Amino acid sequence: MTKAPLPPGRLGLPWLGETASIAANNHGFYTERFEKYGPIFKTRLFGINFVVLSGAEAFHRFATDPAIERGSSDPISVEQIFLRSLALEDGPEHRSRKDVMLHGVRTREAISAYVPRMQAVMERTIDGWADAGWAHVRPDLERMSARLTGFMYLGDESDAAADEIREVGSAMRAAFQTIPVPVPGMPYGKAVKARDRLFAIIDASIARHEAARPGEYDDVVSRMIAAADEHGVPRAKLRGDVLHLIFASQGGYFVPLTLATMALGQDAGIMERARREVLEVAPDGPLTMDDLDRLVYLRQISKEVRRYFAMNSANFFGKATREMEIDGYRVPAGWGAIAAIHITMRSDDVHEDADLFEPDRFLPEAEAALAPGSYVPHGDGERGGHRCPGEDIVTVAVTMYLALMLRRGTWDLPDQDLTLSNELFPLPESGLRVTMLPATARAGASGPVDAG
């Protein structure tokens, strides 16, 4: 019997392959090859031959087929920056530690406990913008997200803690857009140093939580410590998983919040419909999880932002433990496997009119009809597997942020460069400047303000 062919594509030079291309332009690497070769193609990265899989069926296969093992084919930058993270584990070890994570960031009871502080932190920034009439969105949201991270993981939302979290997160993100050579003073060397600093911050946080009076902290770390003790997960592994969550929470908050602000500023119809819902459902006062559940259109927007914009290019990598055939192509045993997130969700084969920003594609009945592997900004498969544990809390954060913004009024985007940057998480080159338009016109705003 004739074997299925290998996927199209090129392997490039021995060992190096196309490593320089993906380091130089992470998202462009996938979109350019998708356009040239189609939804499944081969490449060589960091000395490993890979098959890149996109499309709903192939993505779901990657996420659920036990023959694709995680944690043995990731780039050295991932292995070093996410040192001792459960993302690099598979099997029972991964599932036990994932359950600990989910206790901290996924249960409704846990997220409900965080909502009041999340609202207070967000309102501090949004109220500053409304009072000034101006906002420079990205830097202020980075600072705000760092405060959220400080509250949830460190028990410290001070300016000093927030500034350090921002600095560490920025340095660590740079690791994924450069060749991983740890030269001191160069981007990758700074990233490794930032990782070590974050481990020290986490160690201090865990020590504070362990020394605290019962009930003094109710946050992600306190809940993870309790769950880790129940599961027998040692502190050395817990700290690696907390590092992973802190890193993810930075981009996981300020990136979709910035892009949601831009998307509504570009479409007055979507903004007005969203504002009507807010004023009908939760026009003022403390927000609850029940309020956020009833803000159905805002939740649709939060999902469409994560589908439409290039936030995550790919899952953590896997490896084929046996020879496989996927969509008519042969994947040899030992090859790496990559599930491409953004090109899957921006394919017309997966979502109709995929290049249109359309929140109604997530109407409850439409979302229920989506095939597995269609909506994958946080991965796919079971929640106890390799799907991102922060999916639900990000939905809450984006919904809450938009509700608080729309309570204060609307906003316009003045002329600026909205070209998306070539970063790990592409954002407007301008940093996104907005003019706030509250229900009662405010006078005297003279320019941007640091609302932090």
Side-chain angles (χ1 to χ4, degrees):
M1 181 181 294
T2 303
K3 285 188 173 183
L6 292 172
R10 62 188 298 270
L11 299 178
L13 297 171
W15 196 90
L16 184 64
E18 298 188 294
T19 302
S21 296
I22 198 171
N25 189 341
N26 184 275
H27 291 276
F29 172 85
Y30 292 98
T31 56
E32 290 167 9
R33 282 151 186 79
F34 172 82
E35 291 168 1
K36 185 173 183 178
Y37 301 119
I40 297 179
F41 58 88
K42 67 176 180 283
T43 186
R44 179 183 288 132
L45 304 170
F46 309 100
I48 300 172
N49 293 346
F50 280 95
V51 58
V52 178
L53 305 169
S54 67
E57 185 176 342
F59 198 107
H60 190 62
R61 177 84 179 273
F62 172 90
T64 59
D65 194 322
I68 297 179
E69 178 184 80
R70 304 295 186 91
S72 57
S73 295
D74 284 297
I76 189 171
S77 54
V78 171
E79 293 178 355
Q80 292 186 342
I81 298 302
F82 293 110
L83 188 65
R84 293 186 287 278
S85 165
L86 63 76
L88 307 179
E89 301 287 347
D90 219 333
E93 167 80 7
H94 175 272
R95 289 186 174 276
S96 176
R97 292 166 63 183
K98 184 63 170 289
D99 192 56
V100 171
M101 252 193 196
L102 294 176
H103 273 78
V105 297
R106 184 174 181 245
T107 69
R108 185 177 180 86
E109 187 270 332
I111 298 174
S112 296
Y114 310 150
V115 160
R117 281 308 306 156
M118 291 175 69
Q119 179 171 348
V121 171
M122 289 184 182
E123 285 181 330
R124 175 179 173 181
T125 294
I126 293 168
D127 289 350
W129 291 348
D131 290 342
W134 264 86
H136 197 187
V137 173
R138 174 180 177 163
D140 284 354
L141 287 185
E142 282 195 61
R143 187 175 295 109
M144 185 191 83
S145 296
R147 287 200 184 95
L148 288 173
T149 301
F151 147 63
M152 290 182 175
Y153 298 94
L154 310 181
D156 183 353
E157 59 189 73
S158 67
D159 290 345
D163 288 344
E164 186 162 35
I165 290 168
R166 288 178 67 204
E167 183 178 344
V168 165
S170 178
M172 290 173 67
R173 288 193 296 275
F176 305 109
Q177 291 192 284
T178 187
I179 299 297
V181 179
V183 178
M186 298 299 288
Y188 193 78
K190 290 180 179 179
V192 172
K193 183 177 179 180
R195 177 209 65 193
D196 292 342
R197 175 57 189 150
L198 184 53
F199 270 134
I201 292 170
I202 291 166
D203 289 341
S205 175
I206 290 174
R208 282 197 302 275
H209 281 73
E210 290 179 323
R213 300 183 305 276
E216 183 176 350
Y217 292 107
D218 186 4
D219 56 21
V220 176
V221 168
S222 66
R223 290 169 182 266
M224 286 182 67
I225 288 173
D229 290 343
E230 291 179 9
H231 286 72
V233 174
R235 294 294 185 262
K237 294 179 179 179
L238 180 68
R239 68 200 289 264
D241 296 340
V242 173
L243 178 139
H244 185 134
L245 285 173
I246 290 177
F247 177 86
S249 74
Q250 276 293 277
Y253 292 135
F254 83 82
V255 174
L257 297 182
T258 300
L259 294 170
T261 309
M262 182 173 75
L264 268 64
Q266 292 176 313
D267 194 313
I270 291 176
M271 184 185 290
E272 181 54 34
R273 180 176 166 186
R275 188 163 190 265
R276 285 199 305 270
E277 180 180 73
V278 171
L279 296 181
E280 289 170 4
V281 171
D284 53 38
L287 289 165
T288 66
M289 286 292 286
D290 288 341
D291 293 330
L292 296 169
D293 287 343
R294 290 187 295 129
L295 292 169
V296 176
Y297 189 57
L298 264 63
R299 293 173 78 89
Q300 291 173 212
I301 292 170
S302 80
K303 292 177 180 178
E304 179 66 347
V305 164
R306 285 171 279 168
R307 182 205 69 85
Y308 182 83
F309 290 103
M311 283 183 276
N312 292 310
S313 59
N315 275 57
F316 284 88
F317 299 171
K319 182 178 73 174
T321 58
R322 58 171 172 79
E323 184 164 288
M324 310 173 68
E325 185 175 321
I326 301 178
D327 283 2
Y329 293 112
R330 177 167 57 93
V331 181
W335 272 37
I338 301 171
I341 291 175
H342 184 59
I343 61 175
T344 291
M345 295 191 296
R346 285 294 288 269
S347 169
D348 284 329
D349 290 337
V350 178
H351 292 278
E352 185 177 355
D353 297 324
D355 287 337
L356 294 179
F357 186 87
E358 178 48 81
D360 276 345
R361 71 177 77 246
F362 290 103
L363 284 166
E365 60 272 20
E367 184 177 9
L370 289 175
S374 298
Y375 180 66
V376 292
H378 302 273
D380 191 27
E382 298 177 1
R383 292 300 183 96
H386 283 270
R387 189 165 180 154
C388 175
E391 182 171 358
D392 293 333
I393 201 167
V394 172
T395 299
V396 166
V398 178
T399 304
M400 176 185 289
Y401 168 79
L402 290 176
L404 297 173
M405 285 284 283
L406 291 164
R407 281 177 170 183
R408 299 302 302 256
T410 60
W411 57 93
D412 278 342
L413 306 182
D415 288 341
Q416 60 193 289
D417 184 0
L418 296 179
T419 304
L420 296 181
S421 59
N422 177 28
E423 298 178 73
L424 184 63
F425 307 123
L427 290 168
E429 289 282 3
S430 65
L432 192 64
R433 290 175 285 108
V434 304
T435 302
M436 303 294 289
L437 302 172
T440 302
R442 294 169 182 269
S446 59
V449 63
D450 177 358

